[in-house]
Amino acid sequence: MWKKGDYLAASAVFSALVEHNPEDAQANMLLARCAKRSGPRPGDTQTEGLERLKTNYEESAYLQLKALLQPEKE
């Protein structure tokens, strides 16, 4: 949501995360960015590559992860 510029929705999620864990530095930083309506900036090492847990289930993503984590059978 934050990456897409939906700062209001993203701030609600980040607020809930901060309420649950006030020490979450990334959630605090991104909540502040939402308040400033400051989106992602190319080359910004603080936010580039940050991914949080997804709220939707995707079968193909699950199967890919499962394949990576399972040792190969001989």
Side-chain angles (χ1 to χ4, degrees), residues 6-23:
D6 190 354
Y7 303 116
L8 186 60
S11 66
V13 173
F14 292 131
S15 292
L17 288 168
V18 169
E19 185 176 312
H20 179 69
N21 180 10
E23 302 300 318

Side-chain angles (χ1 to χ4, degrees), residues 1 7-10 12 15-16 18 23-24 29 31 33 47 55 57-59 61 63 67 69-70:
M1 291 176 273
Y7 303 116
L8 186 60
S15 292
V18 169
E23 302 300 318
D24 188 334
M29 175 195 59
L31 180 59
R33 294 255 180 116
T47 60
T55 57
Y57 174 75
E58 294 178 19
E59 182 75 17
L63 293 173
L69 296 176
Q70 282 184 338

